[in-house]
Amino acid sequence: MFITFEGIDGCGKTTQLNLLHKYLKDIGYNVLTTREPGSTPLAEKLRNVLLNMEYNISSVSEILMFEAARAELVDSVIHPAICRKQIVLSDRFYDSTIAYQGFGRQQNIDDIKLLNKITIREIIPNFTFLLDIPYSVSLERRFGSIDDRIESTGNAFYERVIAGYRSIAEEEPDRVKMIDATQSKEDIFHQIIQIVKPALPPI
Ligand code: T5A
């Protein structure tokens, strides 16, 4: 089983992923968590470049670096873990590139979908939890932390990313479950569990 968490920066992905990880481990599942970009030595190096304010990266290079990080992660971590029947939870996956680079940076979405198809090797999440918050809430939750290269892009960019995520959820309602993430952590987790529990494989 493969579950991904999506949404704009500060939406609470990591919080919910950690709660689900603990819940599944406590009831006896073998769970692996990953983050994008990252979770392999090369992908973590690409993450440092992608988020670093020092670099002025073209939109096309940015897409290709996110895709390269994803290809590394899928090949060396996610695919083998799924073959071992582990439950994999990922903090972001290919929807991020459609939302941020496609909608946010206004790059060609069909081209991104093709690149995603190449990198994911037919690994599609069983569920994707889209934690939906307004940009103002993202700013509140990130108050006091220093913006990285993506976070510094600004309001109009994030409004397009939010709209992009919502359209992905509308296109694929069976996979992408959109949750109002302005609710409490506990209420959000309760909704996630209600969806995940009936679909869990036997231990
Ligand atoms: N990116 C990534 C692309 O542009 N294209 C791509 O293809 C990919 C893969 C990666 C950046 O790269 C971009 C998107 C990103 O800009 P990241 O590692 O995913 O960055 O980091 P962020 O999205 O910035 O994630 P954060 O760790 O900042 O935020 P999370 O994980 O969404 O939120 P979390 O759980 O850390 O919570 C943030 C704060 O809010 C509180 C938490 O306690 C914490 O303080 N919080 C809540 N407060 C109130 N109510 C709730 N329900 C709360 N839930 C959490």
Side-chain angles (χ1 to χ4, degrees), residues 4-134:
T4 60
F5 292 81
E6 294 280 356
I8 62 168
D9 308 65
C11 66
K13 296 175 279 79
T14 315
T15 302
Q16 295 301 325
L17 181 146
N18 289 337
L19 288 171
L20 185 58
H21 185 191
K22 182 176 181 323
Y23 172 88
L24 293 172
K25 263 186 75 179
D26 286 352
I27 57 174
Y29 285 99
N30 188 348
V31 189
L32 179 82
T33 64
T34 63
R35 68 169 180 179
E36 271 223 42
S39 296
T40 78
L42 177 55
E44 287 292 335
K45 285 208 159 67
L46 287 168
R47 178 187 180 90
N48 286 336
V49 173
L50 279 160
L51 301 186
N52 194 321
M53 288 291 274
E54 273 178 39
Y55 300 112
N56 191 3
I57 302 174
S58 80
S59 296
V60 174
S61 313
E62 184 177 277
I63 294 169
L64 294 174
M65 280 194 268
F66 277 118
E67 296 291 350
R70 180 165 308 128
E72 283 296 308
L73 177 63
V74 168
D75 277 359
S76 60
V77 180
I78 296 178
H79 185 256
I82 289 173
C83 291
R84 288 193 300 269
K85 306 265 183 253
Q86 279 183 288
I87 296 184
V88 181
L89 309 179
S90 188
D91 196 334
R92 300 192 179 281
F93 199 49
Y94 59 79
D95 296 308
S96 285
T97 320
I98 296 174
Y100 278 78
Q101 281 62 52
F103 285 88
R105 299 247 194 255
Q106 298 176 301
Q107 298 300 294
N108 186 294
I109 289 172
D110 287 335
D111 288 350
I112 294 173
K113 284 185 174 170
L114 177 61
L115 289 167
N116 281 342
K117 188 167 181 267
I118 295 166
T119 56
I120 65 171
R121 295 168 165 268
E122 297 179 1
I123 293 179
I124 295 181
N126 299 82
F127 296 113
T128 296
F129 292 105
L130 168 54
L131 303 183
D132 185 61
I133 53 165

